[in-house]
Amino acid sequence: MNTKSIQNGRLHRISLKFLIVVILITGIWFRFTNLDSKVYSFDESITSLRISGYTWTEMVQQDFQGKTISVADLQRKYQQINAEKGWLDTVKGLATEEPQLSPLYFIFARFWVQLFGPQVATVRSLSALISLLVFPSIYWLCWELFRSASVGWIAVTIVAVSPFHVLYAQEARPYMMFAVLVLLSNAILLRAIALQNSPATSKLSKAVWSIYAIALSFGLYSSLLFFLVVFAHGIYVIITENWRFGKTLIAYLLASAAAITIFAPWIWILLYNWEKLTQQ
């Protein structure tokens, strides 16, 4: 290989790295620009209601009794943090009126708004900030799957400017938290399986399986749809283990059982309010 070819190859790599940096910066800019310019959707207003600690029933009973209520009064009482309600009231409101929504995001959002204010841009900025965790998560997952940095960076750049990801990164809803936890749990599972199959890393493997159980717990508390992720992981483990009831499958079953046990209080809440849920 001559000197010119080496220089061309080096220039190509530098150009590619520069392009990746530009795309990443563009993706981050898309996520944080004009957060307060879009219409605050009905679902997002319900997020603010949950953050306030009030329930829909309380709002109707207290203020919709044949009298005129100004927009400013509604926003002040039911779209902002107030001294009358705490974060436990946020959980209570979800448990009684929307138990199909796991509470983790709304608890985070409550403390976020309490720290930084109730402005539309502030509420949405939590989702935008969480969405940045998609980048290292998908890179790690690609590394576990392909052992290729190039594949990881390609995935990162695609996600950075994906209209789907940019759109939901600016929604005051738990979508980005769910996406991050799906990617992380996938990567952690692959790492745990790899360590499980290596006798020299048995102690580390147990620690990673424990982290996997914690990731599943957070995932379930972010969305009930995460049960599908847990189920899909089970199918993957069974297939990769050639339908053998070995150490890896046992470790997966123990981790998933631990996660479901941690999530059991919300399962009880969901079952207790099932009749109310089906009537919505």
Side-chain angles (χ1 to χ4, degrees), residues 6 34 39 46 64 76 103 129 131 137 186 199 218 226 232 258 261:
I6 295 174
N34 297 324
V39 174
I46 295 299
F64 288 88
R76 176 183 55 79
L129 190 64
S131 75
S137 300
N186 288 340
F218 277 106
F226 210 86
T261 301

Side-chain angles (χ1 to χ4, degrees), residues 189 193 232-242 248-249 252:
L189 175 63
I193 292 173
H233 286 180
I235 295 175
Y236 175 81
V237 171
I238 290 171
I239 292 175
T240 54
E241 291 299 301
N242 295 318
T248 300
L249 181 56
Y252 161 78

Side-chain angles (χ1 to χ4, degrees), residues 58-77:
E58 287 176 322
M59 184 176 69
V60 172
Q61 289 176 347
Q62 291 180 18
D63 290 309
F64 288 88
Q65 300 297 327
K67 57 183 179 179
T68 303
I69 305 297
S70 69
V71 174
D73 287 339
L74 281 175
Q75 289 180 337
R76 176 183 55 79
K77 188 171 184 179

Side-chain angles (χ1 to χ4, degrees), residues 39-193:
V39 174
Y40 205 58
S41 68
F42 176 76
D43 283 347
E44 290 178 301
S45 68
I46 295 299
T47 295
S48 291
L49 176 64
R50 298 302 171 207
I51 291 172
S52 75
Y54 280 96
T55 64
W56 183 272
T57 303
E58 287 176 322
M59 184 176 69
V60 172
Q61 289 176 347
Q62 291 180 18
D63 290 309
F64 288 88
Q65 300 297 327
K67 57 183 179 179
T68 303
I69 305 297
S70 69
V71 174
D73 287 339
L74 281 175
Q75 289 180 337
R76 176 183 55 79
K77 188 171 184 179
Y78 301 112
Q79 298 285 290
Q80 300 182 18
I81 299 293
N82 58 81
E84 298 175 4
K85 299 287 185 177
W87 70 270
L88 285 175
D89 294 295
T90 295
V91 177
K92 181 181 176 182
L94 287 167
T96 55
E97 293 189 337
E98 292 184 289
Q100 76 278 11
L101 296 178
S102 298
L104 184 62
Y105 167 80
F106 299 93
I107 295 172
F108 269 94
R110 164 86 190 193
F111 287 112
W112 183 262
V113 171
Q114 196 166 336
L115 284 172
F116 300 107
Q119 296 81 10
V120 169
T122 303
V123 181
R124 285 173 169 167
S125 68
L126 176 60
S127 294
L129 190 64
I130 292 173
S131 75
L132 300 183
L133 297 176
V134 169
F135 302 154
S137 300
I138 199 168
Y139 181 89
W140 183 19
L141 177 58
C142 289
W143 177 260
E144 294 294 339
L145 286 170
F146 306 106
R147 286 293 188 272
S148 170
S150 298
V151 173
W153 283 116
I154 290 171
V156 168
T157 52
I158 290 173
V159 167
V161 291
S162 163
F164 178 85
H165 278 265
V166 172
L167 174 65
Y168 287 109
Q170 294 193 328
E171 285 272 337
R173 298 295 284 178
Y175 308 129
M176 282 296 103
M177 180 177 285
F178 176 71
V180 169
L181 288 167
V182 169
L183 292 169
L184 277 179
S185 63
N186 288 340
I188 295 169
L189 175 63
L190 293 174
R191 177 90 318 247
I193 292 173

Side-chain angles (χ1 to χ4, degrees), residues 9 203 254:
K203 290 184 179 180
L254 289 174

